[in-house]
Amino acid sequence: MKIKLLLAALWLAAGQAYAQFSGQISYEIVRKIDPSQLKMVINGEPVKPGDPNFPTDIPDSRTFGQKSLFDGNYVREVLDDQNTIVSRVFPDGGPPRTTNLGRPFDEYKCVDLAGKKVITFLSMKGPEAKTYKSESAIEPVPGWELTDQTKKIAGYPCKKATVKFKNESYAVWITEELPGTYSPVHELTPEKGVVLLIESAREQFRATKVQSKMVNPTDVRPQAGAQQISKEELNDMREKVLADFRQQKMMPGDGGR
């Protein structure tokens, strides 16, 4: 009987150690805008910074959201406006008119927490609809320093750690009140805990809402039937489809007018 109780206790402890959060974390992402990297088309013509028609009212930063849906050892990440193309037309004598042209495909990431990898899915739209996927390993950056600073984020107590990433200093706020280990920036995944806030000079990820709830595994687990390609091939495919879609929509007489 004592042996059975001991084995049960060990099994329970192991289950708790590998338990993962079930629910959803909503993040608000703020990134500084580099005008030199913008791709803009005004009245059907591409413009660059320095051109007379290049807009002067571009904001300093861009804000959008990410939803991270958890079930067991998987997380599905979806950006609110990922790959959405916006057309801005400046009619003669009138105010600018902005039109959301949509996107030529759907994209999301599936994080395999146990396998420590990220699977990116790209689903094409139209008559030749097909889904592709690529995989990349999660490789956290080294050199973490844990501080004594604490604060509550989205209702959870967090501790601050600092680390160098992309030649910048990042502050990473981690809670251990949620089971599992996760970060919306995969390279900034700690050894333990869930990241609810990331801060640097050029970007910020802040958890605005944490919901614990039952999640349908099929909404989170990797999609079956997708064609495996390399990360480079997927990136090239994404850029080509976006460029073709942008050119099509910006042609005179089409959606860009």
Side-chain angles (χ1 to χ4, degrees):
M1 180 63 70
K2 290 183 179 180
I3 294 177
K4 289 183 178 180
L5 289 174
L6 178 59
L7 290 175
L10 290 173
W11 179 85
L12 179 60
Q16 291 173 341
Y18 290 97
Q20 296 290 349
F21 171 61
S22 178
Q24 178 175 295
I25 301 180
S26 301
Y27 291 92
E28 180 186 74
I29 305 172
V30 181
R31 284 200 177 107
K32 286 192 173 181
I33 292 177
D34 181 0
S36 66
Q37 300 299 315
L38 293 178
K39 297 178 181 178
M40 303 198 71
V41 177
I42 305 297
N43 292 336
E45 296 294 331
V47 295
K48 300 178 180 179
D51 291 345
N53 292 329
F54 194 83
T56 58
D57 58 347
I58 296 176
D60 295 332
S61 61
R62 177 183 174 216
T63 301
F64 52 100
Q66 173 178 306
K67 292 181 175 63
S68 298
L69 191 64
F70 294 72
D71 177 69
N73 284 313
Y74 292 96
V75 184
R76 176 172 175 146
E77 299 175 338
V78 180
L79 295 176
D80 287 349
D81 62 349
Q82 189 172 41
N83 298 311
T84 297
I85 295 179
V86 175
S87 170
R88 200 174 193 193
V89 179
F90 290 76
D92 294 337
R97 184 176 70 250
T98 300
T99 304
N100 188 331
L101 302 178
R103 66 193 79 182
F105 51 74
D106 291 320
E107 182 175 359
Y108 73 93
K109 295 180 185 292
C110 177
V111 184
D112 181 348
L113 299 174
K116 296 183 179 180
K117 63 182 178 180
V118 180
I119 311 169
T120 301
F121 289 88
L122 199 65
S123 296
M124 300 300 174
K125 297 181 178 180
E128 298 183 4
K130 192 172 183 178
T131 299
Y132 301 87
K133 69 176 181 179
S134 71
E135 298 183 5
S136 57
I138 296 177
E139 299 177 351
V141 296
W144 291 67
E145 294 184 8
L146 188 64
T147 74
D148 294 329
Q149 297 184 51
T150 62
K151 67 177 174 181
K152 275 195 172 183
I153 301 167
Y156 290 84
C158 297
K159 293 182 179 180
K160 178 184 177 182
T162 60
V163 66
K164 287 284 187 179
F165 177 51
K166 295 181 179 178
N167 297 319
E168 291 188 27
S169 178
Y170 276 73
V172 183
W173 295 82
I174 308 161
T175 183
E176 294 186 5
E177 295 295 313
L178 291 169
T181 301
Y182 170 76
S183 172
V185 178
H186 308 129
E187 295 88 347
L188 299 180
T189 300
E191 290 186 2
K192 183 181 179 182
V194 176
V195 173
L196 296 184
L197 174 61
I198 297 172
E199 300 172 299
S200 76
R202 69 179 188 88
E203 63 181 350
Q204 174 183 280
F205 289 69
R206 176 184 288 273
T208 58
K209 188 175 184 180
V210 179
Q211 298 171 275
S212 296
K213 61 181 182 180
M214 295 297 294
V215 173
N216 187 340
T218 58
D219 293 338
V220 181
R221 304 297 172 91
Q223 182 177 340
Q227 179 178 332
Q228 179 86 43
I229 59 177
S230 70
K231 182 178 180 180
E232 292 74 21
E233 288 174 325
L234 188 138
N235 289 339
D236 290 344
M237 182 181 297
R238 181 196 298 112
E239 290 302 315
K240 182 182 184 304
V241 172
L242 282 173
D244 292 345
F245 182 77
R246 189 180 294 110
Q247 183 178 22
Q248 175 191 1
K249 291 297 183 180
M250 299 304 177
M251 289 294 289
D254 201 342
R257 294 293 290 178

